[in-house]
Amino acid sequence: MRTIRAEFDRRSITVYQAFRPEIGVPAVEHGRFVPPFSRDRMTWIKPSFLWLMARSNWARKPGQEMVLAVRITRTGWEEALAEAVPTDPDPRLFASGEEWRAAFAKSRVHVQWDPERSLRGRKLEERSIQLGLSRHIIDRYVDDWTLGIEDRTPAVRKIHRLLQEGKTVQARRLLPGERPYPLPAPLAARLAT
């Protein structure tokens, strides 16, 4: 089952990224991405906190030591979703492999559905979304959509420590309040949710 679960309000949605401190610290200080963040390569954004925890090993993987919560406009998020082409051909969306390849080659946004993760990192049946923003749309993300950037690394370390101590209930209380994101019908159809 594909579901977008996220922390969001009327105007914004929070997505997560993990970086090395050389990129993360200036981003937090400026409230937006600044060099050495690169606008010349694809960047992946994920609304699932626990998916990123599994991917970054609770901010312990080299190059992913800093977890950022990036608050972006819902308008920008939905603009990206409207352009997204899956990283694999989906027969519900494309009549042939050639049709998918043509769409993927022109795509400025890639979408991938990965197994959602439990608090302890176990793969779940539910699928979680991540979007790859290419260099052809990254300026919109950085300059127009981003409302603020927060360092969530201290919370990540605290939750991980509580898990290691066997304090699962306390760890769970510190998780972001993610809930199903209401997709407009055309986007739900485009994403085959």
Side-chain angles (χ1 to χ4, degrees):
M1 180 172 78
R2 295 175 172 180
T3 308
I4 298 175
R5 294 189 58 78
E7 187 177 19
F8 62 91
D9 58 28
R10 193 172 52 82
R11 182 173 175 233
S12 68
I13 180 172
T14 299
V15 295
Y16 298 96
Q17 295 188 270
F19 293 102
R20 63 184 195 277
E22 292 81 10
I23 293 174
V25 170
V28 171
E29 287 173 353
H30 291 88
R32 62 192 331 82
F33 290 105
V34 295
F37 176 85
S38 175
R39 295 180 185 228
D40 296 324
R41 57 189 295 263
M42 184 164 282
T43 193
W44 289 86
I45 59 175
K46 308 136 189 89
S48 169
F49 179 82
L50 288 177
W51 190 93
L52 186 60
M53 294 309 96
R55 177 80 171 87
S56 70
N57 193 18
W58 294 92
R60 293 182 302 163
K61 274 191 185 169
Q64 299 183 40
E65 303 92 348
M66 199 167 172
V67 172
L68 303 183
V70 184
R71 202 165 58 86
I72 65 173
T73 65
R74 284 178 63 168
T75 304
W77 171 251
E78 292 181 12
E79 181 181 324
L81 292 176
E83 290 200 35
V85 174
T87 55
D88 293 309
D90 186 329
R92 295 171 295 177
L93 301 172
F94 299 96
S96 67
E98 284 117 26
E99 183 185 338
W100 167 75
R101 276 190 288 283
F104 191 74
K106 295 186 303 190
S107 171
R108 301 191 311 164
V109 179
H110 296 169
V111 62
Q112 190 166 305
W113 294 92
D114 299 299
E116 180 59 278
R117 300 301 184 117
S118 72
L119 184 56
R120 296 216 174 259
R122 184 175 51 85
K123 289 182 181 180
L124 304 175
E125 289 297 315
E126 185 176 356
R127 294 286 177 167
S128 182
I129 196 171
Q130 63 169 324
L131 292 182
L133 306 176
S134 76
R135 60 189 174 87
H136 303 292
I137 198 169
I138 204 163
D139 288 344
R140 302 273 293 131
Y141 174 59
V142 173
D143 299 327
D144 302 330
W145 304 344
T146 299
L147 299 171
I149 300 177
E150 179 186 335
D151 181 6
R152 292 272 176 96
T153 314
V156 166
R157 299 208 189 292
K158 184 172 185 177
I159 294 167
H160 186 248
R161 189 182 72 250
L162 288 168
L163 285 174
Q164 289 178 312
E165 294 169 356
K167 298 177 179 175
T168 306
V169 173
Q170 294 94 321
R172 192 173 304 283
R173 284 189 194 127
L174 298 177
L175 293 176
E178 295 173 6
R179 62 192 199 277
Y181 184 88
L183 277 179
L187 288 181
R190 180 176 180 85
L191 296 168
T193 57

